[in-house]
């Protein structure tokens, strides 16, 4: 018994010694880190006071503090930033669907402003700005070395005023200037139409209007078609959609999924993770879906494309998406400002992160560049094509009724319009052709 007690005491003493030897240095390191932080804050204070006292011009202390805060946030990643009260209000306007500007979603890369995507129907889109363009100068002034917010501020101005931006584009040998007239940007989140037997839903952004407008637009197309059975499928066009609100991306995905995970987010701490699942109900009632994406499809667009792709609910075609797989939380600050901070990464239902990789389409279809027509092309297209039906003395087709002949002529007209669409929008025509092919393989009734 005496030996047992001694062993226990010895074990306790050894434990105390071990704890002291391990915990002591750790506590010392933590204390040293805290000391270093306070020393650096003192250094910041010294620099702040020297600028106020000795800089060649008077500076606003508030501007200095804002610049320091923004510098701290932008050093983390391209999507974290400080929002002044004015910028915070502009961001709130944008999520509501109306704001002023050129109509481009931008990020920063290699010191320059990079266009994520132009927004449909805006001055930038009409001027021919493309996803992937670099903006290097505004009205002759270089943007190199400016923060993203400062660069964006240079592009803002009164509605109706003109701006000259210098663009560098891959494939173009030299930079070129583009003149754009600023306007109030009215975001139409969703445009719905029917092309042939296919409902086409064009999603331009994810703001508070996106899901309700998409639902309303699809229901209208179904009603005009005389019921869902008269449609062969749905195209969800998210090309050049820069993203937006996460809850809207979830709602759009849920609209076409009956069950299963839509997206999961993972923060620095495990307990901060979240997982969102679909609820029963499919607006498309099981009809096949094709999703269109390209290099300008980012963030919320990638959530929708990834969710529908992983659940095999849609065929994704186009080109690789932008690859923004992070979640930003906007946190209000005192004085009506706000802080946009990256707080999590998001993952598709299969567990893949899109960050810096993007969504890869199931079928890669690039949009061919518009080729200028030559005089020879014009002559060929103008030349009438003759067929058996044009020959004098031809035999009539006596195996078909008038109704059947009319049906054939109607089908021929649809094919002609489809051919015209290939010239106008090859990717969309390809998506519609896929749905047409799938419906051709369906059961005969």
């Amino acid at each position: 018994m005496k030996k047992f007690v001694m062993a226990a005491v010895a074990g306790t003493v050894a434990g105390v010694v071990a704890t002291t030897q391990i915990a002591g240095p750790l506590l010392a390191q933590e204390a040293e880190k805290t000391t270093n932080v306070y020393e650096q804050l003192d250094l910041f204070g010294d620099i702040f006071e020297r600028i106020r006292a000795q800089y060649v011009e008077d500076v606003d202390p508030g501007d200095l503090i804002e610049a320091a805060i923004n510098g701290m946030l932008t050093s983390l990643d391209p999507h974290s930033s400080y929002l002044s009260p004015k910028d915070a209000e502009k961001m709130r306007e944008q999520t509501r669907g109306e704001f002023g500007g050129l109509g481009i979603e931008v990020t920063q890369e290699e010191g320059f402003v990079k266009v994520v995507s132009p927004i449909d129907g805006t001055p930038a889109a009409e001027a021919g700005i493309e996803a992937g363009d670099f903006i290097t100068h505004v009205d002759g002034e270089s943007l190199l070395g400016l923060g993203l917010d400062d660069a964006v501020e240079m592009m803002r101005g009164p509605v109706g005023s003109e701006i000259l931006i210098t663009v560098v584009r891959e494939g173009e040998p030299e930079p070129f200037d583009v003149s754009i007239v600023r306007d109030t940007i009215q975001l139409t989140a969703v445009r719905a139409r029917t092309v042939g037997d296919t409902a086409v839903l064009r999603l331009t952004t994810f703001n508070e209007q996106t899901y309700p407008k998409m639902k309303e637009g699809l229901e209208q197309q179904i009603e005009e078609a005389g019921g869902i059975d008269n449609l062969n499928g749905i195209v969800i066009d998210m090309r050049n959609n820069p993203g937006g609100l996460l809850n809207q991306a979830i709602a759009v995905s849920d609209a076409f999924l009956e069950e299963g995970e839509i997206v999961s987010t993972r923060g620095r701490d495990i307990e901060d993770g979240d997982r969102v699942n679909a609820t029963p109900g499919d607006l498309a009632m099981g009809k096949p879906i094709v999703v269109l994406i390209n290099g300008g499809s980012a963030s919320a667009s990638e959530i929708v494309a990834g969710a529908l792709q992983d659940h095999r609910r849609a065929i994704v075609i186009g080109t690789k998406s932008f690859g923004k797989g992070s979640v930003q939380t906007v946190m209000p600050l005192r004085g009506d400002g706000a802080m946009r901070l990256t707080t999590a990464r998001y993952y598709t239902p299969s567990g893949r992160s899109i960050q810096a990789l993007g969504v890869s389409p199931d079928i890669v279809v690039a949009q061919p560049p518009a080729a200028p027509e030559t005089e020879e092309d014009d002559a060929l297209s103008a030349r009438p094509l003759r067929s058996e039906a044009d020959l004098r003395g031809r035999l009539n087709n006596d195996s078909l009724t008038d109704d059947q002949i009319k049906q054939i002529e109607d089908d021929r007209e649809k094919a002609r319009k489809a051919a015209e669409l290939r010239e106008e929008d090859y990717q969309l025509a390809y998506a519609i052709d896929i749905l047409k092919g799938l419906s051709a393989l369906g059961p005969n009734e």
Side-chain angles (χ1 to χ4, degrees), residues 111-349:
F112 292 109
V113 173
K114 182 178 182 180
V115 178
V116 174
S117 65
I119 300 168
D120 284 359
T122 62
E126 291 170 1
I129 300 299
E130 297 179 2
D133 285 349
F134 283 90
I135 300 174
T136 61
H137 294 73
V138 170
D139 291 329
E141 292 187 40
S142 174
L143 301 183
L144 186 62
L146 289 181
L148 184 60
D149 288 341
D150 292 332
V152 169
E153 190 63 32
M154 286 183 66
M155 289 186 277
R156 289 177 180 149
V159 170
S161 61
E162 188 176 3
I163 179 175
L164 190 71
I165 61 174
T166 303
V167 175
V168 172
R169 178 176 296 166
E170 186 177 355
E172 294 288 341
E174 298 290 337
F176 56 93
D177 292 336
V178 178
S179 176
I180 305 177
V181 177
R182 299 179 178 97
D183 198 358
T184 299
I185 309 302
Q186 295 274 0
L187 281 186
T188 303
V190 180
R191 294 186 180 93
R193 60 181 172 136
T194 297
V195 179
D197 297 324
T198 304
V200 179
L201 302 175
R202 171 73 179 125
L203 276 57
T204 60
T205 188
F206 283 86
N207 60 28
E208 293 170 1
Q209 306 171 17
T210 303
Y211 171 72
K213 290 294 183 184
M214 184 197 74
K215 182 174 182 290
E216 178 186 324
L218 179 56
E219 289 173 347
Q220 183 179 348
Q221 300 312 304
I222 292 172
E223 182 181 348
E224 290 176 1
I228 190 71
D229 291 338
N230 294 325
L231 295 175
N232 62 18
I234 296 167
V235 173
I236 302 175
D237 184 357
M238 296 187 294
R239 290 173 297 174
N240 294 329
N241 184 325
L245 300 176
L246 176 62
N247 67 337
Q248 291 295 303
I250 291 168
V252 168
S253 303
D254 192 6
F256 302 104
L257 294 173
E258 292 281 3
E259 59 181 3
E261 181 182 310
I262 294 173
V263 66
S264 62
T265 58
R266 304 175 202 172
R268 189 162 82 180
D269 297 325
I270 296 175
E271 59 268 21
D272 290 338
D274 193 17
R275 190 183 307 273
V276 182
N277 292 317
T279 56
D282 177 3
L283 287 182
M285 301 178 202
K287 287 287 182 178
I289 297 172
V290 171
V291 169
L292 269 174
I293 59 170
N294 65 3
S297 308
S299 190
S301 301
E302 295 172 294
I303 291 175
V304 175
L308 298 182
Q309 184 182 54
D310 280 2
H311 283 287
R312 299 182 180 274
R313 183 64 187 91
I315 300 170
V316 178
I317 75 170
T319 55
K320 185 176 74 69
S321 63
F322 185 75
K324 181 181 176 293
S326 59
V327 179
Q328 283 69 47
T329 303
V330 178
M331 306 173 182
L333 300 173
R334 65 184 69 180
D336 294 329
M339 173 173 67
R340 186 193 289 117
L341 187 67
T342 300
T343 53
R345 288 183 173 89
Y346 68 74
Y347 297 80
T348 70

Side-chain angles (χ1 to χ4, degrees), residues 21-200:
Q21 288 175 342
I22 295 169
L26 288 175
L27 290 171
Q29 288 175 14
E30 194 62 35
E32 185 179 347
K33 283 182 182 177
T34 304
T35 302
N36 287 339
V37 169
Y38 283 117
E39 287 176 355
Q40 288 173 321
L41 288 173
D42 287 341
L43 175 61
F44 172 79
D46 290 343
I47 293 171
F48 176 74
E49 289 302 331
R50 287 199 181 188
I51 292 172
R52 291 184 64 191
Q54 299 178 12
Y55 186 65
V56 65
E57 295 177 353
D58 285 337
V59 288
D60 186 325
D63 290 343
L64 288 177
I65 297 294
E66 278 193 9
I69 293 170
N70 195 45
M72 178 169 57
L73 287 164
T74 54
S75 70
L76 300 173
D77 66 81
H79 307 294
S80 296
S81 63
Y82 171 72
L83 300 171
S84 67
K86 183 171 67 173
D87 291 337
E89 178 55 31
K90 285 181 179 177
M91 186 205 67
R92 286 188 284 270
E93 288 175 0
Q94 184 166 343
T95 59
R96 288 195 295 265
E98 181 178 329
F99 59 98
L102 305 180
I104 50 175
E105 179 80 9
V106 295
T107 186
Q108 196 160 38
E109 189 174 304
E110 299 176 3
F112 292 109
V113 173
K114 182 178 182 180
V115 178
V116 174
S117 65
I119 300 168
D120 284 359
T122 62
E126 291 170 1
I129 300 299
E130 297 179 2
D133 285 349
F134 283 90
I135 300 174
T136 61
H137 294 73
V138 170
D139 291 329
E141 292 187 40
S142 174
L143 301 183
L144 186 62
L146 289 181
L148 184 60
D149 288 341
D150 292 332
V152 169
E153 190 63 32
M154 286 183 66
M155 289 186 277
R156 289 177 180 149
V159 170
S161 61
E162 188 176 3
I163 179 175
L164 190 71
I165 61 174
T166 303
V167 175
V168 172
R169 178 176 296 166
E170 186 177 355
E172 294 288 341
E174 298 290 337
F176 56 93
D177 292 336
V178 178
S179 176
I180 305 177
V181 177
R182 299 179 178 97
D183 198 358
T184 299
I185 309 302
Q186 295 274 0
L187 281 186
T188 303
V190 180
R191 294 186 180 93
R193 60 181 172 136
T194 297
V195 179
D197 297 324
T198 304
V200 179

